[in-house]
Structure formats: C-alpha cells, structure tokens
Amino acid sequence: MARHKTIPDEQVLDTLLETMMETGPAGLTFARAAKAAGLSPATLVQRYGDRDTMVRAVLLRAWDRLDDETDAADAAAAVTPAGAIDLLMRLMSAEMAERNATDGLLLLREDIRDPVLRARGAAWARRLNQALARRLSQDGDEGARLAWQMASIWQGAHTWWAFMREEPADRAIRRMLESWLER
C-alpha cells in the first residue's frame, strides 16, 4: 500500500526551486534536496526516479508558476501599449531583478539544453507574445512583430542593467521600454 504524501509535490518543487536558485541545477543532489524539503533522499527517489527527472520537475513547476503570473499580469494590465509595459514589469519585480539576472541564468541554461524544458519555454514565449501583441496593435501580424521586439528589449534591458547598475532595475527597464514605445 502506498504511503500518503505528507508534503504535496508542489510544495516540494517550490522548495527545491529555491534551493536550485542557490546551487544551480548541477548542485541539486538528492541529499541537498532532501535536507531542503524535509524528506528523505529515498522518498525523493520514489517521487522522481533520478536526479535529472527531479530537476526537470522543478523547472516545469517554475514554468507553471510563470504561466500563472503571466495570466495574472495579463488580466491586470490595460489593453494599451502602456499596459504592455505594466504587464512586463509585473513579471520582473525590482526585488527579483538581481536574482533573475544572476542565479536565474543557471536555470535558463538547463531550460535551453533540455528539449522538454525548451519546448515549455517556447510555449510561454508564445503566450507572452500574444498578451503583448493585443496591447501593441490591432493588426495581428504587426502586433506579433512588435511584441517580439518589446520582449527582446525587456530581456536586453534587464541584462544590461545587471552590468551597469546605474539606477534601480525597475526604473532602468521601464525607461528602456518607454523609450522604445516612443520610437
């Protein structure tokens, strides 16, 4: 008879994501994961099978959470170009800018290398593109083109901010997006 899970998978995966942000995917061992989650290594092996499957499960959970955050930002933002900026800024809070620019890159590397995670990231990119496109143009093709540009500027502004640090991240990123809109 299977034992009842005392800690739900979502809670375990959220805890392991925090651990992986500190250690990178390569540093997430069953021993480290067990200590962080408050479970035995054997329990984690039962749940996930092997370390690579556990890492993938953690990152898929992170993508699910980003989908939820994107849906909430989409629902809250006005359907205007300024609303597109607000949507993006909700997805990258000032508090998380440093962490996303540094520790998040280790996770992104794993997302790009794993075909399942890469497909999941591409699906989110299309979802984000649609949310931005509706705000940038009533013409579907033009909206999609502008949305890809805006998302690229958003990501680029975050990357350049991480090097320059001349002002708070939210101000620097918003300024770059507003400048692009004024084009």
Side-chain angles (χ1 to χ4, degrees):
M1 179 173 182
R3 290 179 54 181
H4 177 70
K5 291 182 180 178
T6 58
I7 303 174
D9 282 332
E10 293 80 11
Q11 184 179 342
V12 171
L13 295 172
D14 290 346
T15 299
L16 297 184
L17 177 61
E18 294 303 313
T19 303
M20 200 166 20
M21 288 293 286
E22 296 168 9
T23 67
L28 188 66
T29 63
F30 275 117
R32 183 171 278 141
K35 183 176 181 182
L39 297 169
S40 73
T43 298
L44 291 173
V45 170
Q46 284 180 326
R47 285 191 188 196
Y48 304 109
D50 60 41
R51 197 194 73 77
D52 290 341
T53 302
M54 179 175 64
V55 167
R56 180 185 278 171
V58 170
L59 293 174
L60 287 171
R61 169 72 176 152
W63 282 114
D64 289 345
R65 287 174 51 186
L66 185 56
D67 278 344
D68 292 345
E69 291 170 21
T70 303
D71 289 346
D74 187 17
V79 184
T80 64
I85 293 174
D86 292 340
L87 186 157
L88 291 173
M89 296 308 296
R90 281 182 60 128
L91 294 178
M92 187 177 296
S93 69
E95 300 79 36
M96 296 300 292
E98 169 69 30
R99 183 176 176 183
N100 289 340
T102 54
D103 300 335
L105 290 178
L106 293 173
L107 305 186
L108 186 59
R109 177 179 180 258
E110 195 68 26
D111 286 331
I112 292 169
R113 292 174 53 184
D114 180 314
V116 170
L117 295 168
R118 187 171 54 244
R120 189 67 180 76
W124 174 77
R126 288 188 290 277
R127 179 186 214 135
L128 179 63
N129 182 276
Q130 290 171 353
L132 294 173
R134 286 194 315 277
R135 291 167 168 83
L136 297 172
S137 177
Q138 292 182 7
D139 176 279
D141 290 339
E142 180 182 2
R145 180 180 59 78
L146 293 172
W148 286 121
Q149 288 177 8
M150 183 178 226
S152 297
I153 289 168
W154 173 58
Q155 289 293 301
H158 186 244
T159 301
W160 287 119
W161 168 82
F163 283 105
M164 308 296 247
R165 313 283 178 115
E166 294 171 349
E167 60 188 314
D170 55 336
R171 198 173 322 152
I173 295 167
R174 182 176 289 278
R175 184 177 45 74
M176 291 303 296
L177 290 169
E178 288 171 348
S179 175
W180 176 78
L181 272 183
E182 293 171 2
R183 73 203 177 310

